[in-house]
PDB file of all heavy atoms in Angstrom:
ATOM      1  N   ASN A 177      88.491 123.922 100.720  1.00  0.00           N
ATOM      2  CA  ASN A 177      89.911 123.601 100.671  1.00  0.00           C
ATOM      3  C   ASN A 177      90.034 122.152 100.189  1.00  0.00           C
ATOM      4  O   ASN A 177      89.424 121.253 100.743  1.00  0.00           O
ATOM      5  CB  ASN A 177      90.516 123.749 102.075  1.00  0.00           C
ATOM      6  CG  ASN A 177      91.998 123.461 102.091  1.00  0.00           C
ATOM      7  OD1 ASN A 177      92.544 122.860 101.168  1.00  0.00           O
ATOM      8  ND2 ASN A 177      92.651 123.874 103.170  1.00  0.00           N
ATOM      9  N   LYS A 178      90.810 121.916  99.142  1.00  0.00           N
ATOM     10  CA  LYS A 178      90.930 120.565  98.572  1.00  0.00           C
ATOM     11  C   LYS A 178      91.374 119.554  99.617  1.00  0.00           C
ATOM     12  O   LYS A 178      91.004 118.391  99.582  1.00  0.00           O
ATOM     13  CB  LYS A 178      91.903 120.566  97.390  1.00  0.00           C
ATOM     14  CG  LYS A 178      91.367 121.281  96.167  1.00  0.00           C
ATOM     15  CD  LYS A 178      92.356 121.213  95.012  1.00  0.00           C
ATOM     16  CE  LYS A 178      91.795 121.935  93.788  1.00  0.00           C
ATOM     17  NZ  LYS A 178      92.742 121.898  92.646  1.00  0.00           N
ATOM     18  N   ASN A 179      92.202 119.988 100.547  1.00  0.00           N
ATOM     19  CA  ASN A 179      92.652 119.104 101.627  1.00  0.00           C
ATOM     20  C   ASN A 179      91.872 119.431 102.899  1.00  0.00           C
ATOM     21  O   ASN A 179      92.434 119.814 103.911  1.00  0.00           O
ATOM     22  CB  ASN A 179      94.156 119.271 101.863  1.00  0.00           C
ATOM     23  CG  ASN A 179      94.949 119.018 100.596  1.00  0.00           C
ATOM     24  OD1 ASN A 179      94.747 118.014  99.933  1.00  0.00           O
ATOM     25  ND2 ASN A 179      95.854 119.922 100.273  1.00  0.00           N
ATOM     26  N   PHE A 180      90.529 119.277 102.797  1.00  0.00           N
ATOM     27  CA  PHE A 180      89.702 119.793 103.878  1.00  0.00           C
ATOM     28  C   PHE A 180      89.731 118.920 105.127  1.00  0.00           C
ATOM     29  O   PHE A 180      89.149 119.259 106.143  1.00  0.00           O
ATOM     30  CB  PHE A 180      88.260 120.033 103.416  1.00  0.00           C
ATOM     31  CG  PHE A 180      87.451 118.797 103.102  1.00  0.00           C
ATOM     32  CD1 PHE A 180      86.761 118.139 104.094  1.00  0.00           C
ATOM     33  CD2 PHE A 180      87.343 118.328 101.809  1.00  0.00           C
ATOM     34  CE1 PHE A 180      85.986 117.032 103.803  1.00  0.00           C
ATOM     35  CE2 PHE A 180      86.566 117.235 101.505  1.00  0.00           C
ATOM     36  CZ  PHE A 180      85.885 116.575 102.511  1.00  0.00           C
ATOM     37  N   ASP A 181      90.375 117.768 105.090  1.00  0.00           N
ATOM     38  CA  ASP A 181      90.516 116.970 106.298  1.00  0.00           C
ATOM     39  C   ASP A 181      91.788 116.146 106.186  1.00  0.00           C
ATOM     40  O   ASP A 181      92.282 115.879 105.094  1.00  0.00           O
ATOM     41  CB  ASP A 181      89.314 116.038 106.484  1.00  0.00           C
ATOM     42  CG  ASP A 181      89.136 115.622 107.938  1.00  0.00           C
ATOM     43  OD1 ASP A 181      90.036 115.892 108.742  1.00  0.00           O
ATOM     44  OD2 ASP A 181      88.086 115.034 108.269  1.00  0.00           O
ATOM     45  N   ASP A 182      92.308 115.768 107.339  1.00  0.00           N
ATOM     46  CA  ASP A 182      93.517 114.951 107.360  1.00  0.00           C
ATOM     47  C   ASP A 182      93.128 113.517 107.045  1.00  0.00           C
ATOM     48  O   ASP A 182      92.490 112.843 107.843  1.00  0.00           O
ATOM     49  CB  ASP A 182      94.178 115.039 108.740  1.00  0.00           C
ATOM     50  CG  ASP A 182      95.438 114.181 108.820  1.00  0.00           C
ATOM     51  OD1 ASP A 182      95.930 113.775 107.752  1.00  0.00           O
ATOM     52  OD2 ASP A 182      95.897 113.922 109.939  1.00  0.00           O
ATOM     53  N   LEU A 183      93.522 113.058 105.858  1.00  0.00           N
ATOM     54  CA  LEU A 183      93.139 111.714 105.429  1.00  0.00           C
ATOM     55  C   LEU A 183      94.169 110.659 105.818  1.00  0.00           C
ATOM     56  O   LEU A 183      93.920 109.469 105.643  1.00  0.00           O
ATOM     57  CB  LEU A 183      92.959 111.686 103.907  1.00  0.00           C
ATOM     58  CG  LEU A 183      91.718 112.400 103.361  1.00  0.00           C
ATOM     59  CD1 LEU A 183      91.737 112.392 101.845  1.00  0.00           C
ATOM     60  CD2 LEU A 183      90.457 111.736 103.870  1.00  0.00           C
ATOM     61  N   LYS A 184      95.302 111.071 106.329  1.00  0.00           N
ATOM     62  CA  LYS A 184      96.392 110.113 106.513  1.00  0.00           C
ATOM     63  C   LYS A 184      96.120 109.170 107.685  1.00  0.00           C
ATOM     64  O   LYS A 184      96.071 109.578 108.841  1.00  0.00           O
ATOM     65  CB  LYS A 184      97.725 110.837 106.730  1.00  0.00           C
ATOM     66  CG  LYS A 184      98.910 109.889 106.676  1.00  0.00           C
ATOM     67  CD  LYS A 184     100.221 110.631 106.523  1.00  0.00           C
ATOM     68  CE  LYS A 184     101.377 109.655 106.339  1.00  0.00           C
ATOM     69  NZ  LYS A 184     102.662 110.341 106.125  1.00  0.00           N
ATOM     70  N   LEU A 185      95.937 107.897 107.351  1.00  0.00           N
ATOM     71  CA  LEU A 185      95.786 106.858 108.364  1.00  0.00           C
ATOM     72  C   LEU A 185      97.131 106.225 108.691  1.00  0.00           C
ATOM     73  O   LEU A 185      97.447 105.958 109.841  1.00  0.00           O
ATOM     74  CB  LEU A 185      94.857 105.750 107.854  1.00  0.00           C
ATOM     75  CG  LEU A 185      93.357 105.897 108.086  1.00  0.00           C
ATOM     76  CD1 LEU A 185      92.623 104.719 107.466  1.00  0.00           C
ATOM     77  CD2 LEU A 185      93.033 105.981 109.565  1.00  0.00           C
ATOM     78  N   SER A 186      97.922 105.957 107.653  1.00  0.00           N
ATOM     79  CA  SER A 186      99.188 105.252 107.838  1.00  0.00           C
ATOM     80  C   SER A 186     100.041 105.411 106.577  1.00  0.00           C
ATOM     81  O   SER A 186      99.515 105.675 105.497  1.00  0.00           O
ATOM     82  CB  SER A 186      98.921 103.763 108.101  1.00  0.00           C
ATOM     83  OG  SER A 186     100.117 103.016 108.104  1.00  0.00           O
ATOM     84  N   ASP A 187     101.346 105.231 106.738  1.00  0.00           N
ATOM     85  CA  ASP A 187     102.230 105.218 105.574  1.00  0.00           C
ATOM     86  C   ASP A 187     102.880 103.845 105.408  1.00  0.00           C
ATOM     87  O   ASP A 187     103.918 103.697 104.773  1.00  0.00           O
ATOM     88  CB  ASP A 187     103.291 106.312 105.683  1.00  0.00           C
ATOM     89  CG  ASP A 187     104.179 106.136 106.910  1.00  0.00           C
ATOM     90  OD1 ASP A 187     103.933 105.207 107.705  1.00  0.00           O
ATOM     91  OD2 ASP A 187     105.125 106.932 107.077  1.00  0.00           O
ATOM     92  N   LYS A 188     102.253 102.803 105.956  1.00  0.00           N
ATOM     93  CA  LYS A 188     102.792 101.443 105.859  1.00  0.00           C
ATOM     94  C   LYS A 188     102.721 100.925 104.424  1.00  0.00           C
ATOM     95  O   LYS A 188     101.941 101.411 103.604  1.00  0.00           O
ATOM     96  CB  LYS A 188     102.028 100.509 106.798  1.00  0.00           C
ATOM     97  CG  LYS A 188     102.313 100.757 108.268  1.00  0.00           C
ATOM     98  CD  LYS A 188     101.586  99.741 109.145  1.00  0.00           C
ATOM     99  CE  LYS A 188     101.947  99.950 110.615  1.00  0.00           C
ATOM    100  NZ  LYS A 188     101.244  98.975 111.489  1.00  0.00           N
ATOM    101  N   ASN A 189     103.544  99.915 104.153  1.00  0.00           N
ATOM    102  CA  ASN A 189     103.589  99.296 102.829  1.00  0.00           C
ATOM    103  C   ASN A 189     102.644  98.099 102.772  1.00  0.00           C
ATOM    104  O   ASN A 189     102.788  97.153 103.553  1.00  0.00           O
ATOM    105  CB  ASN A 189     105.010  98.812 102.508  1.00  0.00           C
ATOM    106  CG  ASN A 189     105.997  99.949 102.413  1.00  0.00           C
ATOM    107  OD1 ASN A 189     105.704 100.975 101.813  1.00  0.00           O
ATOM    108  ND2 ASN A 189     107.168  99.785 103.011  1.00  0.00           N
ATOM    109  N   ILE A 190     101.695  98.169 101.857  1.00  0.00           N
ATOM    110  CA  ILE A 190     100.749  97.071 101.685  1.00  0.00           C
ATOM    111  C   ILE A 190     100.874  96.519 100.269  1.00  0.00           C
ATOM    112  O   ILE A 190     100.812  97.267  99.293  1.00  0.00           O
ATOM    113  CB  ILE A 190      99.294  97.527 101.931  1.00  0.00           C
ATOM    114  CG1 ILE A 190      99.123  97.980 103.386  1.00  0.00           C
ATOM    115  CG2 ILE A 190      98.316  96.400 101.614  1.00  0.00           C
ATOM    116  CD1 ILE A 190      97.694  98.360 103.742  1.00  0.00           C
ATOM    117  N   MET A 191     101.061  95.206 100.174  1.00  0.00           N
ATOM    118  CA  MET A 191     101.049  94.533  98.889  1.00  0.00           C
ATOM    119  C   MET A 191      99.694  93.849  98.715  1.00  0.00           C
ATOM    120  O   MET A 191      99.218  93.167  99.627  1.00  0.00           O
ATOM    121  CB  MET A 191     102.178  93.495  98.792  1.00  0.00           C
ATOM    122  CG  MET A 191     102.170  92.711  97.491  1.00  0.00           C
ATOM    123  SD  MET A 191     103.577  91.559  97.356  1.00  0.00           S
ATOM    124  CE  MET A 191     104.883  92.725  96.895  1.00  0.00           C
ATOM    125  N   ILE A 192      99.072  94.069  97.552  1.00  0.00           N
ATOM    126  CA  ILE A 192      97.755  93.484  97.287  1.00  0.00           C
ATOM    127  C   ILE A 192      97.861  92.590  96.064  1.00  0.00           C
ATOM    128  O   ILE A 192      98.196  93.048  94.970  1.00  0.00           O
ATOM    129  CB  ILE A 192      96.697  94.580  97.037  1.00  0.00           C
ATOM    130  CG1 ILE A 192      96.676  95.578  98.203  1.00  0.00           C
ATOM    131  CG2 ILE A 192      95.321  93.955  96.858  1.00  0.00           C
ATOM    132  CD1 ILE A 192      95.759  96.757  97.977  1.00  0.00           C
ATOM    133  N   GLU A 193      97.592  91.310  96.270  1.00  0.00           N
ATOM    134  CA  GLU A 193      97.584  90.369  95.146  1.00  0.00           C
ATOM    135  C   GLU A 193      96.153  90.186  94.667  1.00  0.00           C
ATOM    136  O   GLU A 193      95.261  89.836  95.449  1.00  0.00           O
ATOM    137  CB  GLU A 193      98.154  89.011  95.572  1.00  0.00           C
ATOM    138  CG  GLU A 193      98.161  87.999  94.428  1.00  0.00           C
ATOM    139  CD  GLU A 193      98.359  86.565  94.883  1.00  0.00           C
ATOM    140  OE1 GLU A 193      99.427  86.287  95.458  1.00  0.00           O
ATOM    141  OE2 GLU A 193      97.454  85.733  94.665  1.00  0.00           O
ATOM    142  N   TYR A 194      95.931  90.415  93.386  1.00  0.00           N
ATOM    143  CA  TYR A 194      94.594  90.199  92.844  1.00  0.00           C
ATOM    144  C   TYR A 194      94.651  89.783  91.381  1.00  0.00           C
ATOM    145  O   TYR A 194      95.694  89.804  90.752  1.00  0.00           O
ATOM    146  CB  TYR A 194      93.713  91.426  93.030  1.00  0.00           C
ATOM    147  CG  TYR A 194      94.191  92.710  92.388  1.00  0.00           C
ATOM    148  CD1 TYR A 194      93.729  93.111  91.146  1.00  0.00           C
ATOM    149  CD2 TYR A 194      95.072  93.550  93.056  1.00  0.00           C
ATOM    150  CE1 TYR A 194      94.133  94.311  90.572  1.00  0.00           C
ATOM    151  CE2 TYR A 194      95.487  94.745  92.501  1.00  0.00           C
ATOM    152  CZ  TYR A 194      95.020  95.122  91.257  1.00  0.00           C
ATOM    153  OH  TYR A 194      95.431  96.304  90.691  1.00  0.00           O
ATOM    154  N   SER A 195      93.525  89.394  90.881  1.00  0.00           N
ATOM    155  CA  SER A 195      93.310  88.848  89.538  1.00  0.00           C
ATOM    156  C   SER A 195      93.919  87.460  89.423  1.00  0.00           C
ATOM    157  O   SER A 195      93.241  86.454  89.516  1.00  0.00           O
ATOM    158  CB  SER A 195      93.827  89.770  88.447  1.00  0.00           C
ATOM    159  OG  SER A 195      93.385  89.302  87.186  1.00  0.00           O
ATOM    160  N   SER A 196      95.260  87.379  89.231  1.00  0.00           N
ATOM    161  CA  SER A 196      95.987  86.112  89.245  1.00  0.00           C
ATOM    162  C   SER A 196      95.267  84.994  88.496  1.00  0.00           C
ATOM    163  O   SER A 196      94.912  83.973  89.066  1.00  0.00           O
ATOM    164  CB  SER A 196      96.262  85.685  90.698  1.00  0.00           C
ATOM    165  OG  SER A 196      97.012  86.680  91.354  1.00  0.00           O
ATOM    166  N   PRO A 197      95.063  85.174  87.190  1.00  0.00           N
ATOM    167  CA  PRO A 197      94.321  84.185  86.416  1.00  0.00           C
ATOM    168  C   PRO A 197      95.177  82.994  85.996  1.00  0.00           C
ATOM    169  O   PRO A 197      96.404  83.027  86.085  1.00  0.00           O
ATOM    170  CB  PRO A 197      93.896  84.982  85.179  1.00  0.00           C
ATOM    171  CG  PRO A 197      95.016  85.967  84.998  1.00  0.00           C
ATOM    172  CD  PRO A 197      95.488  86.324  86.384  1.00  0.00           C
ATOM    173  N   ASN A 198      94.506  81.939  85.542  1.00  0.00           N
ATOM    174  CA  ASN A 198      95.191  80.826  84.889  1.00  0.00           C
ATOM    175  C   ASN A 198      95.460  81.211  83.438  1.00  0.00           C
ATOM    176  O   ASN A 198      94.608  81.820  82.789  1.00  0.00           O
ATOM    177  CB  ASN A 198      94.332  79.556  84.914  1.00  0.00           C
ATOM    178  CG  ASN A 198      94.158  79.015  86.315  1.00  0.00           C
ATOM    179  OD1 ASN A 198      94.962  79.278  87.203  1.00  0.00           O
ATOM    180  ND2 ASN A 198      93.102  78.257  86.531  1.00  0.00           N
ATOM    181  N   ALA A 199      96.619  80.807  82.931  1.00  0.00           N
ATOM    182  CA  ALA A 199      96.981  81.176  81.557  1.00  0.00           C
ATOM    183  C   ALA A 199      96.442  80.148  80.559  1.00  0.00           C
ATOM    184  O   ALA A 199      97.161  79.655  79.696  1.00  0.00           O
ATOM    185  CB  ALA A 199      98.495  81.288  81.436  1.00  0.00           C
ATOM    186  N   ASN A 200      95.145  79.828  80.695  1.00  0.00           N
ATOM    187  CA  ASN A 200      94.570  78.835  79.777  1.00  0.00           C
ATOM    188  C   ASN A 200      93.151  79.184  79.330  1.00  0.00           C
ATOM    189  O   ASN A 200      92.483  78.370  78.724  1.00  0.00           O
ATOM    190  CB  ASN A 200      94.582  77.443  80.415  1.00  0.00           C
ATOM    191  CG  ASN A 200      93.667  77.341  81.624  1.00  0.00           C
ATOM    192  OD1 ASN A 200      93.313  78.356  82.212  1.00  0.00           O
ATOM    193  ND2 ASN A 200      93.301  76.142  81.994  1.00  0.00           N
ATOM    194  N   LYS A 201      92.705  80.420  79.626  1.00  0.00           N
ATOM    195  CA  LYS A 201      91.354  80.810  79.226  1.00  0.00           C
ATOM    196  C   LYS A 201      91.197  82.322  79.452  1.00  0.00           C
ATOM    197  O   LYS A 201      91.985  82.934  80.181  1.00  0.00           O
ATOM    198  CB  LYS A 201      90.301  80.051  80.039  1.00  0.00           C
ATOM    199  CG  LYS A 201      90.478  80.143  81.539  1.00  0.00           C
ATOM    200  CD  LYS A 201      89.634  79.118  82.270  1.00  0.00           C
ATOM    201  CE  LYS A 201      89.992  79.069  83.750  1.00  0.00           C
ATOM    202  NZ  LYS A 201      89.279  77.997  84.449  1.00  0.00           N
ATOM    203  N   PRO A 202      90.179  82.924  78.850  1.00  0.00           N
ATOM    204  CA  PRO A 202      89.990  84.373  79.020  1.00  0.00           C
ATOM    205  C   PRO A 202      89.498  84.735  80.415  1.00  0.00           C
ATOM    206  O   PRO A 202      89.016  83.883  81.163  1.00  0.00           O
ATOM    207  CB  PRO A 202      88.940  84.714  77.953  1.00  0.00           C
ATOM    208  CG  PRO A 202      88.202  83.445  77.713  1.00  0.00           C
ATOM    209  CD  PRO A 202      89.203  82.345  77.908  1.00  0.00           C
ATOM    210  N   LEU A 203      89.643  86.009  80.760  1.00  0.00           N
ATOM    211  CA  LEU A 203      89.118  86.513  82.028  1.00  0.00           C
ATOM    212  C   LEU A 203      87.591  86.476  81.992  1.00  0.00           C
ATOM    213  O   LEU A 203      86.980  86.833  80.991  1.00  0.00           O
ATOM    214  CB  LEU A 203      89.594  87.948  82.260  1.00  0.00           C
ATOM    215  CG  LEU A 203      91.108  88.166  82.256  1.00  0.00           C
ATOM    216  CD1 LEU A 203      91.426  89.653  82.337  1.00  0.00           C
ATOM    217  CD2 LEU A 203      91.774  87.432  83.407  1.00  0.00           C
ATOM    218  N   HIS A 204      86.983  86.063  83.118  1.00  0.00           N
ATOM    219  CA  HIS A 204      85.525  85.988  83.166  1.00  0.00           C
ATOM    220  C   HIS A 204      84.982  86.845  84.315  1.00  0.00           C
ATOM    221  O   HIS A 204      85.729  87.625  84.928  1.00  0.00           O
ATOM    222  CB  HIS A 204      85.055  84.534  83.263  1.00  0.00           C
ATOM    223  CG  HIS A 204      85.619  83.776  84.435  1.00  0.00           C
ATOM    224  ND1 HIS A 204      85.391  84.123  85.736  1.00  0.00           N
ATOM    225  CD2 HIS A 204      86.405  82.670  84.483  1.00  0.00           C
ATOM    226  CE1 HIS A 204      85.988  83.280  86.556  1.00  0.00           C
ATOM    227  NE2 HIS A 204      86.629  82.389  85.818  1.00  0.00           N
ATOM    228  N   LEU A 205      83.689  86.695  84.624  1.00  0.00           N
ATOM    229  CA  LEU A 205      83.044  87.545  85.631  1.00  0.00           C
ATOM    230  C   LEU A 205      83.729  87.468  86.987  1.00  0.00           C
ATOM    231  O   LEU A 205      83.849  88.472  87.692  1.00  0.00           O
ATOM    232  CB  LEU A 205      81.573  87.163  85.778  1.00  0.00           C
ATOM    233  CG  LEU A 205      80.618  87.619  84.681  1.00  0.00           C
ATOM    234  CD1 LEU A 205      79.191  87.268  85.054  1.00  0.00           C
ATOM    235  CD2 LEU A 205      80.716  89.106  84.437  1.00  0.00           C
ATOM    236  N   GLY A 206      84.173  86.265  87.370  1.00  0.00           N
ATOM    237  CA  GLY A 206      84.869  86.123  88.647  1.00  0.00           C
ATOM    238  C   GLY A 206      86.156  86.920  88.680  1.00  0.00           C
ATOM    239  O   GLY A 206      86.466  87.576  89.675  1.00  0.00           O
ATOM    240  N   HIS A 207      86.908  86.888  87.582  1.00  0.00           N
ATOM    241  CA  HIS A 207      88.136  87.681  87.506  1.00  0.00           C
ATOM    242  C   HIS A 207      87.823  89.173  87.565  1.00  0.00           C
ATOM    243  O   HIS A 207      88.584  89.953  88.134  1.00  0.00           O
ATOM    244  CB  HIS A 207      88.888  87.382  86.200  1.00  0.00           C
ATOM    245  CG  HIS A 207      89.420  85.994  86.103  1.00  0.00           C
ATOM    246  ND1 HIS A 207      89.008  85.103  85.143  1.00  0.00           N
ATOM    247  CD2 HIS A 207      90.322  85.325  86.866  1.00  0.00           C
ATOM    248  CE1 HIS A 207      89.639  83.960  85.306  1.00  0.00           C
ATOM    249  NE2 HIS A 207      90.442  84.061  86.344  1.00  0.00           N
ATOM    250  N   ILE A 208      86.706  89.574  86.937  1.00  0.00           N
ATOM    251  CA  ILE A 208      86.338  90.991  86.952  1.00  0.00           C
ATOM    252  C   ILE A 208      86.106  91.452  88.387  1.00  0.00           C
ATOM    253  O   ILE A 208      86.641  92.467  88.824  1.00  0.00           O
ATOM    254  CB  ILE A 208      85.078  91.251  86.101  1.00  0.00           C
ATOM    255  CG1 ILE A 208      85.393  91.062  84.612  1.00  0.00           C
ATOM    256  CG2 ILE A 208      84.556  92.667  86.334  1.00  0.00           C
ATOM    257  CD1 ILE A 208      84.196  91.249  83.708  1.00  0.00           C
ATOM    258  N   ARG A 209      85.314  90.681  89.138  1.00  0.00           N
ATOM    259  CA  ARG A 209      85.043  91.098  90.517  1.00  0.00           C
ATOM    260  C   ARG A 209      86.336  91.158  91.321  1.00  0.00           C
ATOM    261  O   ARG A 209      86.585  92.114  92.068  1.00  0.00           O
ATOM    262  CB  ARG A 209      84.051  90.143  91.190  1.00  0.00           C
ATOM    263  CG  ARG A 209      83.633  90.675  92.561  1.00  0.00           C
ATOM    264  CD  ARG A 209      82.574  89.882  93.258  1.00  0.00           C
ATOM    265  NE  ARG A 209      81.974  90.726  94.296  1.00  0.00           N
ATOM    266  CZ  ARG A 209      81.227  90.290  95.286  1.00  0.00           C
ATOM    267  NH1 ARG A 209      80.939  89.005  95.370  1.00  0.00           N
ATOM    268  NH2 ARG A 209      80.739  91.127  96.186  1.00  0.00           N
ATOM    269  N   ASN A 210      87.161  90.142  91.181  1.00  0.00           N
ATOM    270  CA  ASN A 210      88.439  90.085  91.882  1.00  0.00           C
ATOM    271  C   ASN A 210      89.289  91.312  91.552  1.00  0.00           C
ATOM    272  O   ASN A 210      89.782  92.014  92.444  1.00  0.00           O
ATOM    273  CB  ASN A 210      89.150  88.793  91.464  1.00  0.00           C
ATOM    274  CG  ASN A 210      90.472  88.586  92.174  1.00  0.00           C
ATOM    275  OD1 ASN A 210      91.308  89.471  92.216  1.00  0.00           O
ATOM    276  ND2 ASN A 210      90.662  87.392  92.710  1.00  0.00           N
ATOM    277  N   SER A 211      89.447  91.588  90.265  1.00  0.00           N
ATOM    278  CA  SER A 211      90.305  92.691  89.822  1.00  0.00           C
ATOM    279  C   SER A 211      89.782  94.046  90.268  1.00  0.00           C
ATOM    280  O   SER A 211      90.551  94.931  90.658  1.00  0.00           O
ATOM    281  CB  SER A 211      90.440  92.669  88.294  1.00  0.00           C
ATOM    282  OG  SER A 211      91.046  91.477  87.857  1.00  0.00           O
ATOM    283  N   LEU A 212      88.463  94.221  90.215  1.00  0.00           N
ATOM    284  CA  LEU A 212      87.881  95.508  90.592  1.00  0.00           C
ATOM    285  C   LEU A 212      88.027  95.763  92.083  1.00  0.00           C
ATOM    286  O   LEU A 212      88.297  96.890  92.511  1.00  0.00           O
ATOM    287  CB  LEU A 212      86.407  95.561  90.182  1.00  0.00           C
ATOM    288  CG  LEU A 212      86.123  95.469  88.680  1.00  0.00           C
ATOM    289  CD1 LEU A 212      84.632  95.618  88.404  1.00  0.00           C
ATOM    290  CD2 LEU A 212      86.910  96.519  87.899  1.00  0.00           C
TER     291      LEU A 212
END
């Protein structure tokens, strides 16, 4: 069954801030880890 277990932990609203680079250079390895 595709829904073989109850996965619902919560329906709360979570905001996640990530990447947030400086607008003066390309994204680098640190940004990659952050974004992923």
Side-chain angles (χ1 to χ4, degrees):
N177 181 343
K178 290 182 180 179
N179 304 310
F180 69 87
D181 203 350
D182 179 15
L183 288 175
K184 190 165 185 177
L185 272 178
S186 172
D187 61 357
K188 289 183 177 180
N189 296 316
I190 296 184
M191 177 177 282
I192 306 175
E193 180 196 298
Y194 60 96
S195 190
S196 301
N198 293 337
N200 66 340
K201 53 194 171 185
L203 303 173
H204 56 62
L205 284 185
H207 294 117
I208 291 178
R209 187 175 199 196
N210 182 310
S211 298
L212 297 183

